Amino acid sequence: DAKTTQPPSMDCAEGRAANLPCNHSTISGNEYVYWYRQIHSQGPQYIIHGLKNNETNEMASLIITEDRKSSTLILPHATLRDTAVYYCIVRVYNQGGKLIFGQGTELSVKP
Amino acid sequence: EPEVTQTPSHQVTQMGQEVILRCVPISNHLYFYWYRQILGQKVEFLVSFYNNEISEKSEIFDDQFSVERPDGSNFTLKIRSTKLEDSAMYFCASSDSTSYGYTFGSGTRLTVV
């Protein structure tokens, strides 16, 4: 699975959009980009995933560059409850495959 | 929304004792996992389980660890002889054959003294 690089920490003002970057320059054509988050030592929570098209769900949007070497997770209106560690994970979709977590980005949403 | 349930939420055990961590995955899920997170460190994969057998395990998952699905609903992780370094949060997760996302439980905090 391709390696990812994320900034260790970011701040965001409450109500503003939080844009979390991820570099995955060695991503292969069949590898997906997944985002999870972990709020204060709770179990990781799935947010969104994508292959090459931009994706949006009720939690977030995922923007993947055309060359697929980087992506951005967007939380459109961050709240204090979005304070968490966000993990960008790249892997081939296969049924039952493991997730390899890096250090992630610690997002602090401030009032 | 369906949940993965883990019990107990916190367990304290003496070094050398056996512990069993319990998980109830989502009922229609087919793939089950255990992960652990030592305080302040990354979430680490331990083992995946499918069709009543281990499908993959990490180098952490040595002979002291075992997993079992004793009935149609429970999924357990056993540590035979606990060491101080086994102190961690242990997360169970499950997924089905079609979803891309895995659902994690809220974890069991294991403290070995």
Side-chain angles (χ1 to χ4, degrees), chain A residues 25-46:
Chain A
S25 58
T26 60
I27 192 169
S28 302
N30 61 348
E31 288 183 311
Y32 286 73
V33 180
Y34 291 77
W35 283 84
Y36 282 75
R37 73 181 181 182
Q38 187 177 26
I39 298 173
H40 195 245
S41 295
Q42 296 176 21
Q45 178 189 23
Y46 166 79

Side-chain angles (χ1 to χ4, degrees), chain B residues 62-73:
Chain B
D62 61 21
D63 291 344
Q64 292 298 318
F65 291 88
S66 62
V67 290
E68 193 178 35
R69 189 156 161 81
D71 53 41
S73 59

